[in-house]
Amino acid sequence: MIKVNDKEGTPVLIGLVCIWRIRDTVKALYSVENYFSFMNGQTESAVRYIANKFSYDSSEEDEPTLKSGNEEINTLLKLELQRRTKMAGIFIEDARITEISYGKEIARLMLQRQTADAIISSKKKIAASVV
């Protein structure tokens, strides 16, 4: 689990799984001294990059979010990791977000915000139905 900021600057805790293998042993031998340290650094950097492009949660139905955990975000994460590790001869088999939550310092406030957003959304639907 690492703490990152989403598109709106909200602190979020994200856990992920990354399955990788060495495809080009010559590149790997000359490019990387410690594979696990290299992969930890590249994975953290890629997660930060992807998290900054999406909101944790959104009231828009068609907008992809980190919380939805949809394939689009996991695919982008995998592609970003592959881009970062290609020079080291490493191939990314799979990469996906496994856990996500608000940072501890903001979790209660965000729950209140989600509740308020749900109430506003339901009132808009009721008003639209009445009209």
Side-chain angles (χ1 to χ4, degrees), residues 67 102 106-118:
K67 184 180 174 184
Y102 286 118
I106 198 164
R108 189 172 45 154
L109 295 173
M110 294 311 285
L111 183 59
Q112 290 173 347
R113 179 178 160 212
Q114 284 177 335
T115 303
D117 286 345

Side-chain angles (χ1 to χ4, degrees), residues 3-126:
K3 187 187 293 187
V4 298
N5 290 333
D6 72 354
K7 181 180 176 181
E8 298 168 359
T10 306
V12 178
L13 294 171
I14 296 180
L16 74 140
V17 63
C18 178
I19 301 169
W20 56 275
R21 64 184 165 92
I22 297 172
R23 178 174 273 176
D24 187 335
T25 54
V26 175
K27 280 185 181 178
L29 179 66
Y30 291 109
S31 299
V32 179
E33 187 173 316
N34 181 330
Y35 300 110
F36 297 107
S37 176
F38 175 77
M39 286 304 297
N40 280 339
Q42 296 306 317
T43 302
E44 183 174 337
S45 179
V47 168
R48 288 184 190 284
Y49 178 78
I50 296 297
N52 284 320
K53 293 188 171 292
F54 298 96
S55 298
Y56 173 83
D57 200 8
S58 175
S59 58
E60 303 294 324
E61 291 182 21
D62 59 342
E63 183 181 343
T65 63
L66 296 170
K67 184 180 174 184
S68 68
N70 67 17
E71 285 303 311
E72 178 183 352
I73 291 174
N74 289 327
T75 300
L76 288 173
L77 178 60
K78 179 181 174 184
L79 291 173
E80 181 61 23
L81 270 167
Q82 188 59 64
R83 185 185 69 77
R84 291 169 182 266
T85 60
K86 185 177 182 178
M87 61 75 145
I90 295 173
F91 178 73
I92 305 300
E93 296 281 342
D94 193 21
R96 59 187 56 250
I97 294 173
T98 56
E99 292 181 56
I100 186 162
S101 63
Y102 286 118
K104 292 178 184 178
E105 65 274 8
I106 198 164
R108 189 172 45 154
L109 295 173
M110 294 311 285
L111 183 59
Q112 290 173 347
R113 179 178 160 212
Q114 284 177 335
T115 303
D117 286 345
I119 291 169
I120 291 169
S121 177
S122 66
K123 287 183 179 185
K124 283 181 182 178
K125 287 179 183 178
I126 291 169

